[in-house]
Amino acid sequence: MNPIRLMLVDDHDIVRTGLKSFLDTQEGLQVVAEASSGEEAIEKAQETRPDVIVMDITMPEMDGLEATRRLKALDDSYSILALTVHEDKQYLFEMLSAGASGYITKQVAAEELVTAIRCVAMGNVYLQPALASWLLDDYRRLLTQAPPEARQYGNQEDGERGLDVLSQRELEVLEAVAEGHTNNQIGAQLGISPKTVARHRERIMHKLNLHSSTELVKFAIRTGLIDLK
């Protein structure tokens, strides 16, 4: 199996050096590029095409938030994991809105960083568990403020369709994806192959007019597929 190719983006040399030394020792991971700024990250991402970009947020000139926006505008297939000192709700929401597939802080254990990288590389969303409640709390607030009809059927966005277009198997896959399970985990749970899970994901996104794993998670919350209690 080919290793997961990583690019590290951080303006502190010592942080990048430490991350590279650790990640290169992990089975199936390989750091193929480093960048010290948002501008350099955009250039090197296009040159090296990493599987996952581990992105700091606070950097001089172009920060990680703007770099994420520009990278996703260039190619939506870039998988970006925010790794930051900011344990801040606003940064979390802004990075997800910009197109990041994950968000963790630099205070996490090294093993959790590896877990997050593997999860994002498989096309899933990873949020540090201690921070994930912010996303749920925000949607709880929106749902309680919405009229009863919106709470019952989900507050659908323009062009977004409802759960009724999905098969029972697709509903099961969507729920598992939204709960943060990987394709391998979902396959084991449902008794199907990871490739079949991936095909279901593609069909779900097509049917719902969604374009990223982050949007799948938000949709599942809006429609009540995930229990917010």
Side-chain angles (χ1 to χ4, degrees):
M1 181 180 296
N2 294 329
I4 299 171
R5 303 171 68 257
L6 308 173
M7 180 169 75
L8 308 179
V9 185
D10 196 296
D11 61 322
H12 292 96
D13 291 346
I14 192 168
V15 172
R16 294 198 316 277
T17 299
L19 284 173
K20 185 178 188 306
S21 296
F22 168 69
L23 293 172
D24 276 342
T25 66
Q26 302 304 301
E27 184 178 359
L29 302 184
Q30 179 185 12
V31 176
V32 297
E34 298 179 47
S36 60
S37 67
E39 296 93 332
E40 188 179 12
I42 293 170
E43 179 182 345
K44 288 194 173 181
Q46 294 178 88
E47 292 175 354
T48 60
R49 303 298 306 178
D51 298 312
V52 176
I53 300 170
V54 181
M55 180 78 73
D56 188 21
I57 294 179
T58 306
M59 295 182 289
E61 298 179 18
M62 184 189 297
D63 63 15
L65 182 60
E66 180 62 23
T68 297
R69 288 196 189 101
R70 296 195 185 189
L71 282 165
K72 296 296 285 186
L74 286 169
D75 188 339
D76 191 52
S77 68
Y78 284 121
S79 295
I80 300 172
L81 172 65
L83 177 62
T84 174
V85 297
H86 297 294
E87 194 170 328
D88 183 278
K89 182 186 296 187
Q90 190 61 34
Y91 277 116
L92 169 63
F93 289 164
E94 288 184 355
M95 282 299 289
L96 292 179
S97 296
S101 297
Y103 190 106
I104 61 174
T105 66
K106 292 180 179 178
Q107 290 79 14
V108 301
E111 292 76 13
E112 185 169 352
L113 172 60
V114 173
T115 298
I117 288 172
R118 296 190 194 282
C119 182
V120 169
M122 296 181 71
N124 298 313
V125 174
Y126 189 92
L127 299 180
Q128 186 176 329
L131 309 182
S133 61
W134 290 341
L135 188 62
L136 297 181
D137 288 343
D138 190 58
Y139 276 101
R140 280 196 193 98
R141 178 180 57 80
L142 291 175
L143 289 173
T144 55
Q145 292 174 354
E149 313 83 58
R151 292 199 296 271
Q152 181 177 358
Y153 298 108
N155 184 17
Q156 292 177 215
E157 297 180 344
D158 291 343
E160 188 180 275
R161 305 175 70 185
L163 291 173
D164 57 329
V165 303
L166 302 180
S167 68
Q168 182 58 41
R169 176 64 84 192
E170 288 167 345
L171 285 171
E172 293 170 345
V173 170
L174 173 57
E175 182 176 5
V177 168
E179 289 174 346
H181 299 299
T182 67
N183 287 357
N184 285 340
Q185 291 169 333
I186 297 170
Q189 176 184 335
L190 299 179
I192 56 179
S193 72
K195 288 185 178 180
T196 300
V197 175
R199 286 196 295 271
H200 280 306
R201 287 167 60 106
E202 291 175 3
R203 284 198 293 270
I204 292 167
M205 294 176 75
H206 176 72
K207 286 183 176 182
L208 298 177
N209 191 31
L210 301 176
H211 308 287
S212 70
S213 295
T214 302
E215 290 182 358
L216 283 177
V217 174
K218 291 180 178 179
F219 175 85
I221 296 171
R222 279 197 297 275
T223 55
L225 190 62
I226 293 180
D227 185 3
L228 299 182
K229 295 180 181 179

